[in-house]
């Protein structure tokens, strides 16, 4: 994917995250992008604390597409996948990941929030333990502050 494609897809994932937040869910958004780097096959916002956007998307992708096809697809997400989501991506056989901001930065924004007890375990470490080399691009510095702003507003708001 080109830098322009990456930024465009991350901005679309951010729109999905905004919609999730507007619906009362945590502000995370994910896309599945076809091997052409352009076509968005699936998009998913966060559902709840155990049905994260990336994991739900990866399970749906695995149900719809063959593993060989998914290996050439890219999961694009606003925030670095947690260990659960990275594991689900791995098992779904999605070969590439693009994320906007790190899980460590999310932890700085959420602190010890009871709805988001962040696991500070980089997805690269999760993938490194596997037998498949998932390609990872992220964080994307050009959009990190924009992506962080949504979380800063969301986690400070009373619920």
């Amino acid at each position: 994917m080109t830098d322009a494609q990456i930024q465009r897809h991350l901005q679309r994932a951010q729109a999905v995250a905004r919609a999730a937040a507007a619906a009362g869910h945590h502000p995370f958004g994910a896309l599945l992008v076809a091997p052409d780097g352009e076509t968005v096959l699936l998009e998913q916002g966060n559902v709840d604390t155990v049905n994260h956007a990336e994991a739900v998307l990866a399970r749906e992708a695995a149900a719809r597409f063959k593993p060989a096809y998914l290996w050439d697809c890219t999961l694009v997400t606003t925030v670095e996948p947690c260990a659960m989501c990275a594991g689900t991506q791995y098992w779904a056989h999605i070969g590439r990941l693009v994320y906007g901001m790190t899980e460590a930065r999310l932890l700085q924004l959420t602190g010890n929030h009871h709805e988001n007890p962040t696991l500070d375990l980089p997805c690269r470490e999760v993938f490194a333990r596997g037998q498949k080399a998932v390609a990872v691009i992220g964080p994307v510095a050009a959009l990190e502050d924009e992506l962080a702003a949504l979380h800063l507003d969301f986690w400070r708001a009373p619920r």
Side-chain angles (χ1 to χ4, degrees):
M1 257 190 239
T2 67
D3 287 345
Q5 288 172 316
I6 288 169
Q7 288 188 22
R8 187 170 63 254
H9 290 312
L10 278 170
Q11 287 169 333
R12 183 165 173 178
Q14 179 78 334
V16 172
R18 271 193 228 93
H25 306 291
H26 296 164
F28 299 93
L31 310 174
L32 180 67
V33 179
D36 67 5
E38 284 294 325
T39 307
V40 175
L41 301 169
L42 298 169
E43 57 182 44
Q44 181 66 53
N46 218 61
V47 177
D48 56 36
T49 57
V50 295
N51 290 291
H52 296 178
E54 303 87 351
V56 172
L57 183 139
R59 286 191 297 272
E60 181 65 23
R64 289 189 186 196
F65 304 104
K66 294 187 182 294
Y69 180 74
L70 287 174
W71 189 250
D72 293 328
C73 290
T74 305
L75 192 154
V76 177
T77 185
T78 52
V79 178
E80 179 179 13
C82 71
M84 174 181 70
C85 292
T88 307
Q89 176 181 350
Y90 177 86
W91 288 110
H93 205 65
I94 301 169
R96 282 188 294 282
L97 170 68
V98 171
Y99 68 87
M101 100 175 159
T102 65
E103 183 88 349
R105 175 97 186 261
L106 178 65
L107 178 58
Q108 291 172 350
L109 298 173
T110 63
N112 190 23
H113 198 286
H114 70 280
E115 291 181 26
N116 196 52
T118 303
L119 282 168
D120 190 12
L121 176 60
C123 66
R124 284 178 173 91
E125 288 185 36
V126 174
F127 294 138
R129 303 284 194 256
Q131 297 177 27
K132 301 181 277 191
V134 176
V136 179
I137 297 170
V140 177
L143 294 176
E144 198 168 358
D145 288 340
E146 178 184 334
L147 299 170
L150 176 61
H151 285 274
L152 191 58
D153 292 342
F154 181 86
W155 297 107
R156 287 189 178 167
R159 272 185 296 291

